[in-house]
Amino acid sequence: MNPSLFECAIVATAFKLLLLPAYKSTDFEVHRNWLAITHSLPVKEWYFEKTSEWTLDYPPFFAAFEWLLSQIAQFFDPEMLNVQNLGYSSIQTVYFQRLSVIATELLLVYALHRYIKTSPEGLKRPAQAAALSILFSPGLLIIDHIHFQYNGFLYGILLLSFVYAREDKLLLSGILFAILLCFKHIYLYLAPAYFVYLLSAYCLGETIFDIRFGNVLKLGSSIIAVFTVAFAPFVYWGQLPQLLERLFPFSRGLCHAYWAPNVWAMYSFTDRLLIFVAPKLGLPVDIAAVNSVTRGRVGDTSFAVLPEITPGTTFRLTLLFQVLCLFKLFRRPTFPIFLRALTLCGFSAFLFGWHVHEKAILLILLPFSLLALSDRRYLGAFRPLAVAGHVSLFPLIFTPAEFPLKTLYTITWLVVFLYVFDRLAPAASSRREWLMDRFAGAYVGVAIPLVVYTSVIHGVVWGDRWEFVPLMFMSSYCALGVVGSWVGFSYLYFST
């Protein structure tokens, strides 16, 4: 007998309760500070307060969410709501913040329930397998329940939007996505797919000249209403430039502290290798960049040999690859093609975007999890992403106590769900791609030796020397998997 979603949710919740005293990152203090800001200060000052370096840099709906949490937090420990209490982490504070993540994640459980319930009868087993893979996701466990963030309930909103889109309730789907953008602007990565899908499927008829003005009015007024509620007060106070500066800090560098596994990680790795051969090739080397302590460790990345990359370059590349996949969606605005195009938009923004965080890989993993069981070709493209996406999050949790947990949990998830997916994925209607299968197999085989070397062997052999090398190897290896998955998925999207 297969366990139900809610039975699994109880098990997952019980396991997460055991992690209450686990390692927590600076993001824990970030959100505690936001609780304090929204509780202690008038709304006018939320986006100006800078007592802490962890200033409020999420959209207004998330700020309001923090305010709502703070109304409960005051009964646990009012001292956590003092803006001056930097780094405050009493046991009551820890328990409250951890429990708030678990409680709000119930929205994701509800969304997964709706996804299974609304799936066609013949697809309920694959739908349940995909839903359980998301419920037990190592990514959500590492990022939300150890490192500390609130991604679970946000992905619940996104998944509910998918459910409504599949049910052809496109207005509700669009409204939910607009609300999501006002919670966390990283979902702008997916916005082009939503725009084209709603335009073609909801606002236009058989041709581009057949405009459904009633639908345009309903959708447009609804989206405007959502953004008005979120941003109108700040526009009225003349604070919109300050708010946008917080949301889009382009003053930051191309790469995050730890290189997200994307094209720029591979670019950075290539630059690092060229340092050793550049003199023989007669190439100039920027000595300041060679000696920079930020190369792959902390802060921004600068390049010693290769040209610097500008925000404009990353924007143009992202837009190019997103537009390419949107032509097909515009011509054939069906839900399956929408979900595939949305996944490719996530891929493009993650691979080519500016200052991408490694945690953004969840924007690809979640929708791709729903597609992996389409047939065995899609599963072949999913395997390297499943490995790379989760392994790339390991450096977020670098404490020895959590090493066995993150490693064993992730390996168990990969073994169980890739096996289940392999049993459930139907045969492809056309021949499978030999090269993609071989790449996926070879790539997965390298994962465990690499994790052992970067996490254990390197430190034993080299001590504190070459401390950036494990992160560089990990990021570059994971980038290869994400790029390989993107290439395979793109081939399937455009060829079928």
Side-chain angles (χ1 to χ4, degrees):
M1 182 177 178
N2 295 324
S4 70
L5 175 70
F6 290 111
E7 289 170 338
C8 291
I10 292 171
V11 173
T13 301
F15 181 74
K16 290 162 185 174
L17 288 172
L18 297 176
L19 300 178
L20 293 183
Y23 160 82
K24 56 187 185 297
S25 73
T26 53
D27 275 354
F28 181 88
E29 169 61 12
V30 169
H31 287 278
R32 187 215 59 81
N33 187 53
W34 293 358
L35 286 173
I37 290 173
T38 56
H39 184 83
S40 307
L41 301 176
V43 178
K44 280 186 177 182
E45 299 180 25
W46 286 1
Y47 289 96
F48 286 88
E49 163 58 35
K50 54 182 181 180
T51 301
S52 167
E53 62 180 308
W54 312 118
T55 53
L56 180 58
D57 58 7
Y58 274 24
F61 279 5
F62 198 92
F65 167 73
E66 293 279 6
W67 178 84
L68 284 172
L69 289 180
S70 75
Q71 305 308 303
I72 305 171
Q74 61 185 325
F75 298 108
F76 280 73
D77 184 354
E79 285 302 307
M80 79 171 83
L81 303 176
N82 186 339
V83 175
Q84 304 300 323
N85 278 352
L86 303 184
Y88 188 78
S89 60
S90 67
I91 190 67
Q92 294 90 342
T93 302
V94 172
Y95 279 18
F96 170 75
Q97 291 194 235
R98 293 288 195 195
L99 291 172
S100 67
V101 173
I102 295 173
T104 55
E105 197 176 61
L106 292 175
L107 180 58
L108 176 63
V109 176
Y110 172 72
L112 293 171
H113 165 70
R114 287 291 312 278
Y115 177 76
I116 297 171
K117 185 178 180 180
T118 58
S119 295
E121 195 60 39
L123 298 177
K124 285 195 183 295
R125 283 192 69 196
Q128 183 174 21
L132 292 180
S133 76
I134 294 170
L135 177 67
F136 288 107
S137 166
L140 287 174
L141 185 84
I142 290 172
I143 296 174
D144 281 11
H145 301 280
I146 303 178
H147 182 81
F148 195 84
Q149 280 193 357
Y150 289 93
N151 290 288
F153 93 92
L154 295 174
Y155 282 104
I157 298 173
L158 180 64
L159 192 58
L160 278 176
S161 178
F162 292 167
V163 170
Y164 285 131
R166 187 171 63 178
E167 293 181 317
D168 206 31
K169 298 175 181 177
L170 299 184
L171 179 60
L172 281 175
S173 177
I175 291 172
L176 272 182
F177 185 70
I179 291 172
L180 183 61
L181 288 178
C182 294
F183 270 101
K184 194 169 183 178
H185 51 303
I186 196 173
Y187 293 97
L188 282 169
Y189 287 2
L190 311 179
Y194 266 93
F195 174 79
V196 171
Y197 182 54
L198 292 174
L199 173 66
S200 186
Y202 188 71
C203 297
L204 298 178
E206 294 297 322
T207 69
I208 60 173
F209 303 106
D210 181 15
I211 302 173
R212 300 169 178 170
F213 288 102
N215 287 358
V216 172
L217 181 62
K218 286 188 289 186
L219 181 62
S221 59
S222 298
I223 302 301
I224 291 172
V226 170
F227 280 91
T228 298
V229 171
F231 291 95
F234 302 96
V235 173
Y236 178 76
W237 295 324
Q239 296 182 357
L240 189 60
Q242 170 68 14
L243 194 157
L244 294 177
E245 185 179 336
R246 287 282 183 89
L247 298 185
F248 303 101
F250 283 107
S251 58
R252 297 176 183 175
L254 172 67
C255 295
H256 194 235
Y258 158 60
W259 301 340
N262 59 11
V263 167
W264 307 125
M266 301 172 76
Y267 188 85
S268 301
F269 182 68
T270 303
D271 180 75
R272 192 66 181 177
L273 293 179
L274 286 175
I275 291 173
F276 299 99
V277 300
K280 298 177 182 179
L281 299 176
L283 298 174
V285 178
D286 184 347
I287 302 301
V290 173
N291 296 328
S292 171
V293 298
T294 67
R295 298 188 58 78
R297 186 63 180 172
V298 292
D300 301 333
T301 298
S302 54
F303 300 107
V305 180
L306 294 176
E308 296 292 337
I309 303 298
T310 65
T313 299
T314 64
F315 176 78
R316 286 189 289 272
L317 285 171
T318 300
L319 186 62
L320 169 66
F321 286 105
Q322 288 189 336
V323 167
L324 288 176
C325 72
L326 294 176
F327 281 114
K328 181 175 181 177
L329 176 62
F330 184 77
R331 294 197 311 269
R332 297 177 58 196
T334 64
F335 177 75
I337 293 178
F338 162 64
L339 199 55
R340 287 165 171 78
L342 178 138
T343 304
L344 281 175
C345 283
F347 263 120
S348 300
F350 183 84
L351 288 174
F352 300 102
W354 179 265
H355 198 76
V356 173
H357 288 239
E358 64 283 346
K359 298 182 282 291
I361 193 68
L362 293 180
L363 283 170
I364 309 170
L365 275 169
L366 186 144
F368 204 161
S369 297
L370 305 179
L371 294 167
L373 291 167
S374 299
D375 64 43
R376 301 187 72 81
R377 296 169 304 163
Y378 283 93
L379 179 58
F382 177 73
R383 285 193 188 100
L385 177 70
V387 174
H390 292 117
V391 170
S392 70
L393 299 172
F394 280 11
L396 290 173
I397 312 298
F398 50 82
T399 48
E402 278 73 25
F403 174 75
L405 170 64
K406 69 181 182 183
T407 306
L408 293 176
Y409 187 92
T410 302
I411 291 174
T412 301
W413 185 94
L414 288 170
V415 169
V416 170
F417 283 103
L418 290 184
Y419 172 77
V420 171
F421 280 19
D422 189 66
R423 294 290 300 271
L424 292 176
S429 56
S430 59
R431 67 181 181 86
R432 292 171 63 184
E433 301 303 322
W434 178 88
L435 185 60
M436 192 66 219
D437 288 344
R438 294 300 179 271
F439 169 76
Y443 185 82
V444 172
V446 175
I448 293 179
L450 181 71
V451 170
V452 171
Y453 174 79
T454 56
S455 301
V456 180
I457 296 176
H458 182 88
V460 172
V461 175
W462 299 103
D464 293 334
R465 291 179 295 166
W466 305 97
E467 63 177 349
F468 64 88
V469 169
L471 287 176
M472 184 173 66
F473 281 171
M474 181 73 77
S475 181
S476 301
Y477 164 79
C478 293
L480 180 63
V482 177
V483 170
S485 178
W486 171 63
V487 170
F489 188 88
S490 298
Y491 173 79
L492 293 173
Y493 178 79
F494 289 108
S495 64
T496 57

